[in-house]
C-alpha cells in the first residue's frame, strides 16, 4: 500500500494479495480491492466497475506462476516432441483481403507510398532454419527531424544474419531525409551512420540540450548513442557517454526524471541468449526448429542512466530501484501517470508482469500489481510487446494499451484515478486473439474526437505449418475505430491492407505537413510501409494544430507534458510521452484535432507539474510553445512556418 488511495490486485485464484490489504473488498475470480483508510475513490464505485468488467469477460484461465509465465504464453519446449497446437480465437470469415472478416465495417484510408519515395530499405531479421532468438523479435523504426526543417526524417534499425561476424556491413541501419512531397533521400553515409551488427530499437531526444535531436540505438550487442553535431551529421559517443551497454537492448526512452533539466535514459533489456548455446525447440525427428519460448531466455535487468550535464551518463539502476525484478523488457513509455509532476515509467514485459515504476523524486517504486496494470483481467502475465498512451474516454486521464502474443488479447488499461487502472481489453478490442501484436499507436486518425488504435501484427515463426501448429506468419494489421460506446475492429481502405504482413516496428507522425498522423511500419525481411493518412477530408485537416513543446524549467524536450484542448464541442487530451510502440520512436510534434471548428482553449500541464492556459487559439497553424523560465510569467507561443 502506498497510502494514496485505492489499489487493485488482480490475481485469479490467489488469496495471498488479501493478506497485504486493509479494508479489502472481495469480488469474483479471486479479485481483491484494497484501499487505504479514507480512500478518495469510493469502494463501491470501483467494485462496481470491476464486477461489470468481470461479468463481461468471465472467469477462467490458469494461475500465474511466481515467474510470471502464464498458461497462454509462448511455450515451445526444447524436446523431440511437438507441442500441441494452440487453441486460438479466430476472425470469423477470412475471405476478405488481408485475412480480415469481409463483413467488418470499413473505416480510415491509408495510401501505400511506393518506390518513387526513394526509400529502398530492406530489413534483415536474422531469421533462418536455425532460429536465432533475436530474429523472432525483429527491429524498429523512428521519426526524427535531423535538420530542423519541420519535416520528420526516417530512421530504420536493421538486423543481421547469425552468427554475426565482426565488421559485418551488409545490413547497416539507414537514415532517409524527408525532402517534402513524399520524396526521401538516403543520407546514411552523409550523416555518418556507419555501423555493423544487430540493431533493435530507436529512442529519440535532445540528450545535450543543444536544440538538435539525437538518437539512441538499442542492439543485440553494444548499444550506440548518436549525437547531432548541428550540421546534419552525427557522431557515435556511446562509450564516451557511458551508455555503450552490451546487454540485449530493446525499447528505450529519453526524458528528465528528476527535473534538473538534463536528459536521462531508460533502456529495456530482453534476455541472455547467445548463438553458441541456442537450444533446439521443435521436432528433432522432422528436423524442424521453431523459436523457443522466452521462458528459456533468462531475463536481464533493465538499465537507467542519469545525465550529469557534462557529457556523461551514470548507471543508477540500483540506486533508483529499477534493477529488480529482472524481467524481459520490450516496450517502455515515460509519462506522468499520476499527475504529481514527476515522470513515471511503464514497461511491457514478455511473459513477465508488466512494470509500473512510480517516480518518487530521486528513485522509483515498482507498483504495477497494486495499480492493476501488471496482469490481464484474469491475473495472468502476458507476452507484452508494444505500449501506447492516450485518453480513450475523455476524462483527461492516461489510459494504457499493451500489445501481446497470439491467444492473448491486447490489454487496455483504463485509468480510474488514484493510481489504479481497469483492464478491459478482452471486450474493448475484439478480434486480436489470432494475432501476435507488436508496434502500436493510439491516435485520432479521422479527427472525430476519439483515439483510434493501429497495431502491426506478425507471427514469430514462418514454419508452423510444418509442425501442424496453428498461427499464420503473415497477419493483417489490427485497426480499431473509437466509437461512442468503445472500439470496433475495422477494415481499412488502401493497397497495404489487401495483404497480410510480418509487422514489427510502428511509428507515427505528420510526414507531409497536412496535420494528420501518417504511419511507418517495419516488416520482417521486407521493405517498410510508408502510409499516407487519407482518412481526413482536407477542410477538416485545416482545423487541426501542430504543437512543439519546448521546456525551460525542465528538459527542453518537455517529454511528459499533457495538452488538453477545450472547445464548445468538447474536450480532448494528448500526452507528450517518451518512448512507446515497439522498438520505435514516433514524431515529437503533437497534432491536435480539437472538436468543432471555432477557436479553442489549450491547457498545458508541463512535466514539472506547473499548469497554464492559452485562450482563443486559431486552427491550421504550426506553433511552438516555449515554457517561461519564471513560472509567474507566461510561456511564449511562436508561430512556425508550415
Amino acid at each position: 500500500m502506498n497510502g494514496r488511495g485505492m489499489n487493485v490486485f488482480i490475481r485469479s485464484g490467489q488469496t495471498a494479495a488479501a493478506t497485504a490489504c486493509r479494508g479489502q473488498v472481495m469480488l469474483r475470480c479471486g479479485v481483491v480491492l484494497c484501499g487505504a483508510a479514507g480512500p478518495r475513490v469510493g469502494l463501491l464505485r470501483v467494485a462496481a466497475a470491476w464486477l461489470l468488467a468481470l461479468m463481461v469477460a468471465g472467469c477462467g484461465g490458469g494461475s500465474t506462476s511466481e515467474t510470471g509465465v502464464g498458461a497462454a504464453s509462448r511455450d515451445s519446449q526444447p524436446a523431440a516432441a511437438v507441442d500441441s497446437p494452440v487453441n486460438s480465437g479466430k476472425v470469423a470469415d477470412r475471405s476478405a483481403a488481408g485475412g480480415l472478416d469481409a463483413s467488418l465495417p470499413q473505416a480510415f484510408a491509408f495510401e501505400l507510398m511506393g518506390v518513387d519515395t526513394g526509400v529502398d530499405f530492406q530489413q534483415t531479421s536474422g531469421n533462418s532454419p536455425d532460429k536465432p532468438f533475436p530474429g523472432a523479435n525483429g527491429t524498429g523504426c523512428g521519426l526524427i527531424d535531423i535538420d530542423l526543417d519541420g519535416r520528420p526524417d526516417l530512421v530504420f534499425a536493421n538486423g543481421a544474419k547469425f552468427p554475426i561476424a565482426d565488421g559485418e556491413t551488409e545490413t547497416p541501419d539507414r537514415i532517409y531525409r524527408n525532402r517534402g512531397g513524399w520524396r526521401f533521400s538516403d543520407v546514411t553515409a552523409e550523416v555518418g551512420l556507419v555501423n555493423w551488427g544487430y540493431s533493435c530499437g530507436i529512442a529519440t531526444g535532445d540528450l545535450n540540450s543543444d536544440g538538435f535531436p539525437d538518437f539512441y540505438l538499442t542492439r543485440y550487442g553494444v548499444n550506440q548513442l548518436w549525437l547531432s553535431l548541428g550540421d546534419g551529421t552525427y557522431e557515435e559517443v556511446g562509450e564516451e557517454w557511458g551508455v555503450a551497454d552490451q546487454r540485449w537492448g530493446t525499447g528505450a526512452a529519453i526524458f528528465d526524471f528528476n527535473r534538473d533539466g538534463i536528459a536521462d535514459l531508460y533502456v529495456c533489456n530482453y534476455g541472455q541468449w547467445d548463438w553458441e548455446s541456442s537450444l533446439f525447440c521443435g521436432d528433432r525427428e522432422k528436423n524442424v526448429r521453431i523459436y523457443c519460448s522466452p521462458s528459456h531466455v533468462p531475463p536481464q535487468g533493465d538499465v537507467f542512466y542519469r545525465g550529469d550535464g557534462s557529457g556523461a551518463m551514470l548507471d543508477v539502476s540500483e540506486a533508483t530501484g529499477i534493477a529488480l525484478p529482472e524481467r524481459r523488457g520490450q516496450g517502455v513509455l515515460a509519462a506522468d501517470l499520476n499527475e504529481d509532476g514527476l515522470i513515471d515509467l511503464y514497461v511491457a514485459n514478455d511473459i513477465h508482469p508488466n512494470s509500473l515504476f512510480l517516480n518518487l523524486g530521486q528513485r522509483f517504486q515498482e507498483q504495477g500489481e497494486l495499480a492493476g496494470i501488471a496482469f490481464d483481467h484474469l491475473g495472468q502475465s502476458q507476452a507484452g510487446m508494444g505500449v501506447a498512451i492516450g485518453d480513450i474516454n475523455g476524462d483527461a486521464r492516461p489510459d494504457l494499451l499493451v500489445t501481446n502474443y497470439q491467444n492473448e488479447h491486447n490489454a487496455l488499461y483504463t485509468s480510474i484515478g488514484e493510481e489504479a487502472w481497469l483492464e478491459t481489453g478482452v471486450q474493448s478490442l475484439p478480434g486480436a486473439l489470432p494475432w501476435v501484436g507488436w508496434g502500436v499507436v493510439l491516435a485520432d486518425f479521422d479527427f472525430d474526437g476519439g483515439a483510434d488504435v493501429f497495431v502491426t501484427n506478425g507471427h514469430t515463426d514462418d514454419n508452423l505449418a510444418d509442425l501442424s501448429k496453428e498461427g499464420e506468419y503473415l497477419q493483417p494489421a489490427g485497426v480499431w475505430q473509437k466509437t461512442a460506446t468503445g472500439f470496433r475492429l475495422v477494415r481499412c481502405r488502401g493497397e497495404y491492407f489487401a495483404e497480410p504482413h510480418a509487422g514489427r516496428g510502428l511509428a507515427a507522425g505528420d510526414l507531409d505537413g497536412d496535420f494528420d498522423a501518417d504511419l511507418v511500419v517495419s516488416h520482417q525481411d521486407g521493405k517498410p510501409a510508408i502510409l499516407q493518412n487519407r482518412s481526413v477530408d482536407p477542410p477538416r485537416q485545416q482545423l487541426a494544430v501542430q504543437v512543439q513543446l519546448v521546456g525551460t524549467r525542465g528538459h527542453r524536450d518537455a517529454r511528459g507534458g499533457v495538452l488538453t484542448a477545450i472547445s464548445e464541442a468538447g474536450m480532448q487530451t494528448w500526452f507528450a510521452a517518451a518512448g512507446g510502440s515497439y522498438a520505435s520512436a514516433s514524431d515529437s510534434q503533437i497534432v491536435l484535432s480539437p472538436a468543432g471548428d471555432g477557436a479553442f482553449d489549450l491547457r498545458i500541464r508541463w512535466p514539472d507539474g506547473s499548469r497554464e492556459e492559452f485562450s482563443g487559439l486559431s486552427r491550421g497553424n504550426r506553433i511552438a510553445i516555449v515554457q517561461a523560465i519564471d513560472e509567474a510569467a507566461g510561456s511564449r507561443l511562436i508561430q512556425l512556418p508550415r
Side-chain angles (χ1 to χ4, degrees), residues 179-199:
R179 302 294 188 184
W182 292 102
R183 297 293 188 271
F184 298 83
S185 58
D186 186 345
V187 293
T188 305
E190 176 185 331
V191 164
L193 182 62
V194 179
N195 59 4
W196 61 272
Y198 201 109
S199 295

Side-chain angles (χ1 to χ4, degrees), residues 91 409 425-433 435 479-480 487-490:
V91 179
H409 63 277
V426 69
Q427 67 266 27
S428 299
L429 298 169
L433 288 179
W435 304 327
V479 185
W480 288 265
F487 291 92
R488 63 173 185 171
L489 181 65
V490 298

Side-chain angles (χ1 to χ4, degrees), residues 193-420:
L193 182 62
V194 179
N195 59 4
W196 61 272
Y198 201 109
S199 295
C200 299
I202 300 167
T204 62
D206 187 356
L207 278 157
N208 57 358
S209 295
D210 65 351
F212 292 91
D214 314 300
F215 62 95
Y216 187 75
L217 288 177
T218 62
R219 316 185 88 221
Y220 175 75
V222 181
N223 294 346
Q224 297 178 340
L225 171 58
W226 291 90
L227 206 66
S228 173
L229 300 181
D231 59 357
T233 65
Y234 281 76
E235 179 184 11
E236 204 288 299
V237 296
E239 194 73 38
E240 177 184 342
W241 278 55
V243 295
D245 194 17
Q246 298 189 39
R247 285 171 285 186
W248 177 2
T250 51
I254 298 169
F255 65 103
D256 178 10
F257 101 103
N258 56 356
R259 302 196 301 199
D260 62 357
I262 303 170
D264 308 303
L265 172 66
Y266 187 94
V267 182
C268 294
N269 289 315
Y270 190 81
Q272 303 171 42
W273 179 90
D274 60 78
W275 172 259
E276 291 75 17
S277 60
S278 181
L279 299 173
F280 188 105
C281 294
D283 190 327
R284 289 190 180 275
E285 292 183 1
K286 294 182 178 181
N287 194 30
V288 176
R289 296 181 72 156
I290 58 176
Y291 283 109
C292 292
S293 164
S295 62
H296 300 108
V297 179
Q300 291 179 309
D302 294 350
V303 61
F304 182 60
Y305 300 100
R306 178 176 57 80
D308 68 1
S310 65
M313 305 192 90
L314 306 175
D315 184 344
V316 292
S317 306
E318 292 190 11
T320 54
I322 67 94
L324 297 174
E326 292 186 339
R327 295 169 175 174
R328 299 177 200 89
Q330 299 212 86
V332 58
L333 191 144
D336 183 0
L337 298 175
N338 56 1
E339 300 185 46
D340 64 352
L342 297 167
I343 300 180
D344 312 299
L345 292 161
Y346 184 58
V347 183
N349 298 309
D350 196 355
I351 62 173
H352 280 132
N354 296 329
S355 303
L356 169 64
F357 293 107
L358 289 179
N359 191 338
L360 304 182
Q362 295 300 319
R363 63 185 308 274
F364 294 95
Q365 185 176 44
E366 207 291 303
Q367 296 281 286
E369 184 171 357
L370 289 172
I373 52 179
F375 306 100
D376 69 4
H377 68 289
L378 297 178
Q380 292 184 331
S381 299
Q382 294 181 295
M385 269 68 131
V387 61
I389 186 172
D391 177 19
I392 65 170
N393 54 7
D395 63 0
R397 292 171 176 157
D399 305 308
L400 301 166
L401 194 156
V402 180
T403 58
N404 292 297
Y405 197 72
Q406 176 180 299
N407 262 10
E408 300 174 343
H409 63 277
N410 293 325
L412 180 62
Y413 300 96
T414 304
S415 174
I416 54 177
E418 299 299 325
E419 297 174 3

Side-chain angles (χ1 to χ4, degrees), residues 457-522:
N457 299 307
H459 213 289
T460 54
D461 288 280
D462 58 0
N463 59 343
L464 294 173
D466 294 342
L467 299 181
S468 300
K469 292 178 71 72
E470 195 170 358
E472 298 291 335
Y473 181 60
L474 304 180
Q475 299 180 349
V479 185
W480 288 265
Q481 183 183 37
K482 185 69 174 69
T483 69
T485 57
F487 291 92
R488 63 173 185 171
L489 181 65
V490 298
R491 291 179 296 127
C492 293
R493 295 181 293 276
E495 177 186 351
Y496 178 75
F497 305 94
E499 300 292 338
H501 306 275
R504 289 300 186 268
L506 175 65
D510 181 12
L511 292 173
D512 55 359
D514 64 358
F515 286 5
D516 56 21
D518 308 303
L519 299 172
V520 179
V521 188
S522 63

Side-chain angles (χ1 to χ4, degrees), residues 144-164:
I144 178 174
D145 187 0
I146 61 176
D147 51 7
L148 300 184
D149 64 354
R151 294 190 294 259
D153 307 301
L154 309 180
V155 184
F156 295 99
N158 208 357
K161 298 176 182 179
F162 287 88
I164 299 174

